[in-house]
Amino acid sequence: MRDELFSMDAKQELSDPDPVRRAQITSKLPLPKRFYKEAAVAERDGGFSVELDGRVVKTPARQNLVLPTRAAAQLIADEFTAQEKEIDPAQMPATRLANTAIDGIINDPQAVLEDVLRFASSDMLCYRAGSPQRLVQRQTESWDPMIDWAAAVLNARFILAEGVIHVEQPREALGAFGVHLGAFTDPFAIAALHTITTLTGSAILALAVAKGEISGDEAWELAHLEEDWTSEQWGEDAEAAIRRDIRKREMQAAVQMLQAVSV
């Protein structure tokens, strides 16, 4: 049963970067029954492992699930504890993030950081609406402080654009941004940083969270400013709200992991 659980999580379909898509796929698969009584954290291999009834959890690539801090391992143990009669990987974002860090990122962290930097080259915060004026004003009031922070603290001066036509960001800005990204070497922190980036569409917001400039909740709200504006004008779409809730849980898990490995 243990092998069945993690082989299921290793399926190519479940590696889909969209958490909503993963949840949809997982909902169509038979879920394994919970086969353990207790999930706990133990010191092992210079770190902290997650154990089910005393047996260490394995990643999809059959490596020991060992994390650098007790707090990080506890996040995963709590996810296993929360499972009831069946084990649903779609409800275990911290576990999936740790699997990604161990099985993939640890071998090539630079590739992941470069992907975050690509997001910065077309960061959501740099693309502004031309109208209506109230939306323009809201973006200016909410997003400009982040652009100013990047310029003042990161020495990364980004160019703003109106509409969706791509604007080339200065090499100096991306270079300065990349220097700060390069300070992240822990694979779990990098996995969390990448997740926050993809969920918000903003590498600037992700780095601001990682550096403690803003909270995860603040980043989430800033990332959904336009979506909230649309809901205010036309009402909330029920299906969109469900998708947003799923993605928010992914975001919260990533922020918690980032904080846990930074303890």
Side-chain angles (χ1 to χ4, degrees):
M1 181 64 72
R2 182 187 307 266
D3 290 341
E4 180 183 350
L5 167 64
F6 293 108
S7 65
M8 182 178 75
D9 193 40
K11 286 179 180 290
Q12 181 178 1
E13 293 89 345
L14 293 184
S15 65
D16 194 294
D18 183 354
V20 177
R21 174 65 176 157
R22 286 200 303 265
Q24 291 172 337
I25 295 171
T26 304
S27 67
K28 299 177 182 178
L29 297 172
L31 298 176
K33 303 296 183 181
R34 174 167 170 162
F35 56 87
Y36 54 90
K37 293 182 179 180
E38 181 184 26
V41 175
E43 291 193 48
R44 175 189 293 267
D45 301 334
F48 298 88
S49 65
V50 180
E51 298 185 352
L52 305 178
D53 294 339
R55 297 181 62 184
V56 64
V57 174
K58 300 285 187 179
T59 70
R62 312 306 301 158
Q63 300 187 73
N64 287 341
L65 190 58
V66 178
L67 293 97
T69 68
R70 180 177 292 277
Q74 191 63 53
L75 289 176
I76 296 172
D78 289 345
E79 287 187 342
F80 275 101
T81 298
Q83 304 304 299
E84 297 181 353
K85 293 182 179 181
E86 297 175 323
I87 304 170
D88 185 359
Q91 302 299 320
M92 304 174 74
T95 303
R96 295 198 309 273
L97 190 151
N99 287 339
T100 298
I102 294 172
D103 289 347
I105 294 177
I106 197 170
N107 297 318
D108 193 5
Q110 188 58 37
V112 182
L113 291 174
E114 288 175 358
D115 194 44
V116 174
L117 187 59
R118 280 192 287 272
F119 269 87
S121 69
S122 57
D123 200 281
M124 177 196 68
L125 298 187
C126 296
Y127 292 85
R128 307 297 178 86
S131 63
Q133 185 56 38
R134 285 189 297 167
L135 174 58
V136 173
Q137 182 178 354
R138 186 177 298 187
Q139 289 179 334
T140 299
E141 293 174 350
S142 300
W143 290 354
D144 276 8
M146 289 289 91
I147 297 297
D148 294 341
W149 170 79
V153 177
L154 308 181
N155 198 31
R157 294 172 173 80
F158 290 94
I159 297 174
L160 304 186
E162 183 178 306
V164 296
I165 298 177
H166 178 71
V167 59
E168 193 77 21
Q169 294 295 341
R171 290 185 179 181
E172 295 80 5
L174 296 177
F177 197 87
V179 168
H180 290 273
L181 286 180
F184 291 87
T185 57
D186 181 274
F188 300 93
I190 293 173
L193 184 66
H194 186 268
T195 296
I196 296 170
T197 299
T198 57
L199 288 173
T200 62
S202 172
I204 296 173
L205 289 178
L207 194 54
V209 171
K211 287 182 170 290
E213 177 67 17
I214 59 175
S215 69
D217 287 341
E218 288 171 326
W220 183 256
E221 294 303 318
L222 289 171
H224 291 80
L225 184 150
E226 290 191 61
E227 184 177 311
D228 290 339
W229 168 268
T230 301
S231 295
E232 290 172 13
Q233 310 309 309
W234 306 103
E236 186 176 61
D237 179 86
E239 291 186 3
I242 293 173
R243 291 195 297 270
R244 177 164 168 166
D245 286 343
I246 293 173
R247 293 170 67 83
K248 187 173 184 178
R249 289 196 294 271
E250 299 273 336
M251 173 80 167
Q252 291 170 334
V255 172
Q256 289 174 336
M257 181 64 73
L258 188 59
Q259 295 170 339
V261 297
S262 301
V263 173

